[in-house]
Amino acid sequence: MDKRILVTHSSMPTLDEYVEEIKEMWETHWLTNMGVKHMQLEKNLAEYLGISKDNIALFVNGHLALECIIEALGLGKEKNQRGEYKDEVITTPFTFASTTHAIVRKNLKPIFCDIRPDNFTIDPAKLEALITDKTCAIIPVHVYGNLCDTENIQKVADQYGLKVIYDAAHAFAVEKDGKSSAFFGDASMYSFHATKVFHTIEGGAVCFKDAALKPRLNEWKNFGITGPETTEFVGGNAKMNEFAAAMGICNLRHLDDEIEKRRKVDQKYRERLTEVSGIQLDMPQNGVKHNYAYFPIIVDETVTGCSRDDIFDALDESGVGARKYFYPLTSMYHCYEGMFDSSKTPIALTISKRVLTLPIYADLSLEDVDRICDVVLSCVRN
Ligand SMILES: *Cc1c(COP(=O)(O)O)cnc(C)c1O
């Protein structure tokens, strides 16, 4: 192949469209602190998601949005009958660093639950066994844009009085039965990082059920400052700037077209890789409008005769950058050495050793998809 194909390729508006969007800033000189572009994007996103703008807050990135909502919902602040802080959060190790790090950085304890083998989201049937009198919340992840079993997760949460925060970093523009993923649980965090389907270069948002949280979230992202001479609590700094918001305004205009182009790439992959023994594809979910954010394949070496790593290497040699996403499990990171036992989440462990995400983005040509599939199939058949 001529030029290297990376696993993703950030979408961008034309230079003219972006320049048009930022032009007025040379008159206003208002560059951050919830300016015109920030407020416009917040409104546009609320409309896109079908929610009120009182139920969304924008952030400088998804990770700090997650840390902020963890704090705003008071996780770990309540005590149980024995007078101990309820600081345990049930979550998945099959995710990006951010999910687990946010929990740990807020002085909470991640309790890892195994995932479902079909769509890699947390297995609700395994939640109950992990609940103790110290559990305060569940933080599941809509992995690859696959929606979690939100109904059964909510049932468990309601039964035990737990909060639910979704890491929806992969699930922007995903809908179930015509409703956006913003409606599940107490809150959902979206990432608008450059590698995501919709992006603001760096950015993120949190959508939440209780509109009363909004002022607190806005103060949190601005040092806890509540008035010109009052700072009521120890907040952070996590504001989205105007250039990022302007990028978001432009990108949102083209999002549905981009997703449609991704759908065609996804379809091409499926044509070539369905029914290849030993290669498992992500199963489409009933009633779900997907965003085609990722294209994971699960390689069973005992059937294919080649490992995930063999395919990764072969692709690399042909100029294709696939990604072992997510590998390793977050519970196996160096920084958590000796703290967690990954054999307690055997399905997540197996999947993490077998998974490879193939390049997918709106402008990936179908010829390139063919060539990528040729490389994958040449490994399998040798
Ligand atoms: C990208 C991502 C995040 C973090 O988002 P940032 O905007 O990069 O801070 C969190 N969780 C998952 C699963 C992600 O993929």
Side-chain angles (χ1 to χ4, degrees):
M1 290 179 207
D2 324 318
K3 80 177 175 357
R4 216 175 147 73
I5 299 173
L6 300 178
V7 74
T8 190
H9 176 86
S10 300
S11 51
M12 286 167 86
T14 63
L15 183 57
D16 286 346
E17 183 179 350
Y18 187 64
V19 168
E20 192 54 41
E21 198 60 49
I22 60 174
K23 227 176 201 163
E24 68 192 71
M25 283 186 234
W26 268 259
E27 277 150 39
T28 63
H29 288 236
W30 190 326
L31 305 181
T32 186
N33 285 42
M34 302 178 71
V36 176
K37 297 297 167 190
H38 176 288
M39 301 318 280
Q40 185 67 49
L41 179 63
E42 196 170 80
K43 184 167 162 282
N44 295 359
L45 286 171
E47 260 166 37
Y48 190 88
L49 293 168
I51 60 174
S52 156
K53 65 178 175 27
D54 298 332
N55 298 85
I56 182 171
L58 305 187
F59 285 85
V60 67
N61 58 49
H63 179 79
L64 285 173
L66 184 57
E67 286 200 11
C68 181
I69 190 68
I70 286 174
E71 225 175 283
L73 286 172
L75 268 50
K77 300 284 192 298
E78 265 179 48
K79 287 182 181 174
N80 63 18
Q81 287 181 336
R82 292 186 288 140
E84 298 163 333
Y85 282 108
K86 294 170 73 168
D87 62 357
E88 292 179 1
V89 176
I90 302 177
T91 187
T92 167
F94 192 69
T95 184
F96 183 56
S98 173
T99 326
T100 306
H101 283 3
I103 295 167
V104 174
R105 287 171 57 82
K106 290 289 125 192
N107 293 317
L108 299 163
K109 205 174 146 201
I111 305 293
F112 291 110
C113 180
D114 211 355
I115 59 171
R116 297 165 45 136
D118 57 346
N119 65 23
F120 324 117
T121 62
I122 210 163
D123 186 345
K126 294 182 178 156
L127 288 171
E128 240 175 316
L130 299 171
I131 295 174
T132 71
D133 64 353
K134 296 182 83 179
T135 310
C136 63
I138 309 171
I139 303 190
V141 180
H142 297 308
V143 183
Y144 308 131
N146 293 334
L147 293 181
C148 296
D149 182 349
T150 52
E151 237 168 85
N152 283 311
I153 291 170
Q154 198 59 50
K155 264 186 206 157
V156 176
D158 289 344
Q159 192 179 342
Y160 291 90
L162 308 176
K163 293 274 196 302
V164 183
I165 302 174
Y166 285 100
D167 179 332
H170 292 182
F172 189 78
V174 176
E175 293 176 3
K176 184 168 165 91
D177 301 328
K179 266 172 90 178
S180 79
S181 54
F183 285 93
F184 303 121
D186 294 281
S188 297
M189 173 276 279
Y190 293 107
S191 164
F192 304 148
H193 183 257
T195 54
K196 305 300 205 263
V197 172
F198 165 74
H199 78 86
T200 61
I201 310 171
E202 291 267 5
V206 58
C207 296
F208 39 90
K209 197 175 256 171
D210 179 7
L213 288 171
K214 178 141 183 176
R216 191 70 170 183
L217 293 169
N218 281 343
E219 290 152 10
W220 191 96
K221 69 186 180 198
N222 192 28
F223 305 101
I225 295 171
T226 53
E229 297 179 6
T230 42
T231 299
E232 276 181 48
F233 63 99
V234 188
N237 178 8
K239 302 181 294 289
M240 179 183 284
N241 75 60
E242 292 288 277
F243 285 86
M247 180 61 88
I249 290 169
C250 296
N251 282 338
L252 195 59
R253 287 184 194 124
H254 307 290
L255 182 60
D256 290 343
D257 290 343
E258 294 266 315
I259 291 174
E260 176 55 21
K261 287 193 200 162
R262 283 173 174 269
R263 190 186 64 74
K264 290 191 175 133
V265 172
D266 179 280
Q267 193 182 347
K268 184 77 189 168
Y269 271 128
R270 283 179 195 279
E271 277 167 25
R272 295 289 314 271
L273 300 177
T274 304
E275 286 169 40
V276 177
S277 309
I279 295 207
Q280 180 198 333
L281 306 183
D282 221 357
M283 288 299 292
Q285 296 179 292
N286 274 341
V288 173
K289 180 175 156 280
H290 208 40
N291 62 1
Y292 309 100
Y294 299 89
F295 197 89
I297 61 171
I298 311 294
V299 184
D300 182 352
E301 188 178 357
T302 63
V303 179
T304 57
C306 69
S307 69
R308 178 269 309 268
D309 289 359
D310 293 337
I311 298 178
F312 177 89
D313 292 342
L315 286 168
D316 186 50
E317 274 165 33
S318 321
V320 178
R323 245 185 105 188
K324 300 173 194 178
Y325 193 65
F326 303 103
Y327 174 82
L329 297 178
T330 63
S331 54
M332 297 179 76
Y333 284 0
H334 279 289
C335 54
Y336 298 129
E337 206 174 322
M339 289 171 68
F340 308 107
D341 179 0
S342 59
S343 70
K344 287 186 177 164
T345 54
I347 295 170
L349 187 59
T350 302
I351 299 289
S352 75
K353 288 177 182 165
R354 293 181 177 180
V355 71
L356 196 63
T357 54
L358 301 179
I360 186 166
Y361 46 87
D363 294 331
L364 183 62
S365 74
L366 299 184
E367 291 73 42
D368 281 339
V369 175
D370 258 330
R371 284 187 285 171
I372 293 166
C373 293
D374 288 342
V375 177
V376 172
L377 293 172
S378 73
C379 298
V380 173
R381 287 177 187 150
N382 283 337

